[in-house]
Structures are given as C-alpha cells and as structure tokens.
Amino acid sequence: MPPVSASETDSDVSTILCLYDPTWPKSSDDAKIPCGPFTEEKEPSLMKLKLLSNEGREEEEQYGVSTELTLFTDPWTIKKKLTISDRSSQNRLLLNARTVESHLLRYLPEYYQKMVHEGWLTVKVYDHDTYSTHYMLLTKLSNRGSYVLSGGWFTDFVTRRALKKKDEIGMYWDRSDPKLHFCVLSRAPTGVSSASYSPLIADP
C-alpha cells in the first residue's frame, strides 16, 4: 500500500461533485467534462403560476366556482345601515343600485334581470341568524334608479327581527344555490329610537 502524503491527510474532504478524477490522464475532451459545485436553476415561483384568462374567469363565474387562490374576503357584499323609511309601513328595503348590480344582478340570467327591471322577481332569502327561509320581491324603482326588496320585508324582517334605525344588515347572493343570505351585522347603539316612520321626517 503506497504511503499517504501529509498534504492528503491535512486537506479538507472535497464536497465538489465531479465526473472524473483530476489524477486521471488528461485528454482533449477534458474541457468538455463539467466539474464544480452544481446549483439547481431556480425560477421565481410566481413565474410558474398559470394566470387565468378572461374566458376562464367568465366560465367559472357561470358555474359559480373558482380555482384561483384568494385571501379571505368579507362575504357580506351588500351592506346597509337601516334608515327610518327602511322600517316603515312602506314595506320595502331600499338598496343602492351599483351595489345590487355588482353583487347580485350580474349573476342572474338575462331573463331574470329583465323581470327585475320590468316588474319584479321573487327571491329566496335565508336568515343566517335564525336559520329560516323567507321570500321577497326584488324590483327596480324607475323613478329613482334604486332597487328595493319588498313583499315580506316588514313582517319577516323588521318586525320579526326587531330591526331599528342604524342597525347594520348584510347580504350576499349565493351563486351555487340561488338565494340571498341575510344577517344582522351589528345593532344600533342603545337609545336609538325605533319609532314608526313619519313622512315629515326625512332619512338621514
């Protein structure tokens, strides 16, 4: 067995992966053989993500599903602090036109949208607080451009839920099971009057 030189015993163990031994006889092909620390080429993970096309998003919206990863968002997309007229004998909940069109109407088939604009559409409303189902009418006020829910609003919600002025309610449209979800998000501060509506008092 040949003696081991001091230089070999004192040197650190190499961790470099090499496809040949440097002690081997060299040839003209040696330059083609790689030798050295190998590093895996890494691309930014974001570059590998497949972006969803507009057509893909439209298809997912049509079926009420989504394959995109999103952070948690507040589901109650339609919110309102109740006014005096919302809890009056007019029996209607006045809703902002842009809000309804963005978070409800756009998900309805065209013939249902036409019913809302030219007459009314019966919608199912699920109360998350009491686990009960109700029915109301959705229509557009041609003279104001706003939308209203009526037909059962005063009895099934104002009276049954003892709603007061400045109570905040939330709703959202369920595309997988077409219906409105309803919830009382917060109650008005104690002391806020729940007096009946008077035509002499304007909404704040």
Side-chain angles (χ1 to χ4, degrees):
M1 179 176 179
V4 179
S5 65
S7 60
E8 291 179 335
T9 57
D10 294 340
S11 62
D12 295 331
V13 177
S14 174
T15 58
I16 297 177
L17 178 62
C18 198
L19 300 182
Y20 75 102
D21 190 327
T23 61
W24 293 347
K26 295 186 177 181
S27 68
S28 59
D29 294 332
D30 289 347
K32 301 177 183 179
I33 302 176
C35 183
F38 286 81
T39 58
E40 182 181 351
E41 183 178 354
K42 296 183 179 180
E43 298 178 2
S45 57
L46 291 179
M47 297 296 291
K48 296 181 180 180
L49 293 179
K50 181 180 179 181
L51 299 179
L52 202 62
S53 65
N54 291 334
E55 292 78 6
R57 289 192 179 91
E58 291 176 359
E59 183 178 1
E60 289 187 348
E61 286 186 359
Q62 179 182 354
Y63 294 102
V65 299
S66 176
T67 58
E68 290 187 289
L69 179 63
T70 58
L71 298 177
F72 172 78
T73 56
D74 186 355
W76 307 104
T77 53
I78 304 173
K79 296 181 181 181
K80 186 179 183 184
K81 285 192 176 182
L82 300 181
T83 63
I84 295 176
S85 64
D86 289 329
R87 56 176 315 282
S88 74
S89 57
Q90 293 184 62
N91 186 28
R92 68 184 191 185
L93 172 66
L94 190 66
L95 298 171
N96 177 271
R98 181 177 298 179
T99 301
V100 172
E101 290 167 357
S102 298
H103 301 293
L104 193 165
L105 211 63
R106 64 188 291 241
Y107 300 121
L108 299 180
E110 289 187 7
Y111 58 93
Y112 282 163
Q113 295 184 30
K114 186 175 181 180
M115 291 174 65
V116 173
H117 286 102
E118 298 181 359
W120 60 82
L121 176 69
T122 301
V123 295
K124 182 190 296 186
V125 184
Y126 178 74
D127 190 330
H128 269 259
D129 300 319
T130 60
Y131 312 107
S132 56
T133 300
H134 310 267
Y135 294 88
M136 288 195 287
L137 304 176
L138 175 65
T139 187
K140 184 175 183 179
L141 298 179
S142 57
N143 60 331
R144 299 186 61 172
S146 302
Y147 293 83
V148 293
L149 280 171
S150 60
W153 166 249
F154 188 81
T155 302
D156 293 345
F157 291 90
V158 175
T159 302
R160 185 182 64 90
R161 298 299 312 275
L163 298 177
K164 302 188 299 294
K165 174 185 174 182
K166 293 190 177 181
D167 283 351
E168 184 178 20
I169 62 168
M171 294 182 290
Y172 71 87
W173 182 253
D174 187 342
R175 290 179 280 168
S176 61
D177 181 14
K179 62 185 173 185
L180 266 177
H181 291 250
F182 174 92
C183 180
V184 177
L185 300 178
S186 64
R187 292 287 185 174
T190 305
V192 174
S193 173
S194 59
S196 300
Y197 172 77
S198 170
L200 299 178
I201 304 176
D203 289 339

